[in-house]
Amino acid sequence: KANEMIAMAFRNGTHRFEWEHQRINGEVFPVEVLLIADGQAEPPRLAVIWKEIGELRQLQEKLMHAQRMETLGRFVGGVAHDFNNLLLVIAGQMELLRTESTDRAVHRRIQQMMEATDRATAMTQELLAVGRSKSMPEEVVDLRAVTKRLLALVRRMIGEDVAVSSDLGAAPLPVKVDFGRLERSILNLAKNASDAMPEGGAIELRLEQREIRH
């Protein structure tokens, strides 16, 4: 393969490509190689310049991941927006039905449907939180309320083999954070814990206030 690269360099004058080098300790690492050929010299000469590109590859992978997440976020945001509009129409029609009917049984059924609509609306907000990739301005939120709202999504995300319980306390826990990153952190912690228990187990989400002294 190296002979092919060298022949191409002499044919075109230069040739640039990526290769893999190996350190003395056996570690393989990626490099970018530049061959500069002088076929008119006697004997013909070939200059070889290479540089390690492992960090560059990592940056490229991070960039590609960020771009994918941004695309996903835009897609999820568009779907959630359209879905919310549909839910608004459904909720409005159900409210009209409730005002037009005097049947208590019908009222109970309409109330159940409206509660389901409220849950669907909350789910769209959860989807937006998962799909959001960009940093947002920090704001003060109640960590307890955020975690409590995400519990249903955590249970759906990890399946039935892992039991989920919580001990969130009774008092609010105000924190100043990037709201989207906070939600993703909670979901990632739960998902990582679930992945560590392929045979099943239990996860407890617990919140408590600590004083950290430097």
Side-chain angles (χ1 to χ4, degrees), residues 16-104:
R16 186 191 302 270
F17 56 94
E18 292 185 5
W19 202 256
E20 287 188 344
H21 283 192
Q22 188 174 35
R23 305 188 197 278
I24 294 177
N25 62 8
E27 177 191 358
V28 176
F29 62 99
V31 298
E32 181 184 71
V33 181
L34 172 62
L35 302 180
I36 304 174
D38 183 1
Q40 303 301 318
E42 188 61 43
R45 292 179 295 185
L46 181 71
V48 182
I49 303 171
W50 64 269
K51 63 179 179 179
E52 186 173 351
I53 58 172
E55 184 176 350
L56 177 62
R57 278 191 177 178
Q58 291 177 358
L59 291 174
Q60 289 173 337
E61 290 173 0
K62 289 181 180 179
L63 176 60
M64 291 177 63
H65 176 72
Q67 290 172 338
R68 286 195 297 268
M69 290 302 296
E70 184 177 359
T71 301
L72 175 62
R74 288 198 299 267
F75 172 75
V76 171
V79 171
H81 177 73
D82 293 341
F83 191 48
N84 271 332
N85 289 340
L86 293 173
L87 290 173
L88 183 62
V89 174
I90 294 171
Q93 293 296 329
M94 286 190 295
E95 184 64 35
L96 288 175
L97 286 174
R98 184 163 61 178
T99 58
E100 294 172 356
S101 174
T102 57
D103 190 317
R104 290 186 177 181

Side-chain angles (χ1 to χ4, degrees), residues 109-166:
R109 291 178 181 177
I110 291 175
Q111 182 61 34
Q112 292 173 351
M113 288 188 290
M114 295 189 72
E115 290 174 357
T117 302
D118 290 339
R119 289 197 297 272
T121 301
M123 287 175 62
T124 61
Q125 298 304 314
E126 293 166 358
L127 287 172
L128 281 170
V130 175
R132 190 185 297 125
S133 60
K134 291 185 177 179
S135 297
M136 302 295 289
E138 291 186 347
E139 57 182 308
V140 177
V141 298
D142 181 2
L143 180 58
R144 179 178 179 274
V146 172
T147 306
K148 184 177 181 180
R149 184 173 61 81
L150 288 177
L151 276 172
L153 182 58
V154 168
R155 291 189 174 98
R156 290 195 299 273
M157 180 178 65
I158 65 176
E160 300 178 352
D161 294 334
V162 177
V164 179
S165 61
S166 64

Side-chain angles (χ1 to χ4, degrees), residues 182-210:
L182 172 63
E183 289 188 318
R184 289 198 303 276
S185 297
I186 295 172
L187 293 175
N188 284 337
L189 284 171
K191 186 64 169 63
N192 291 341
S194 173
D195 291 343
M197 297 182 290
E199 303 301 323
I203 295 175
E204 180 183 22
L205 295 177
R206 180 185 302 169
L207 296 177
E208 59 184 35
Q209 190 167 345
R210 294 286 186 90

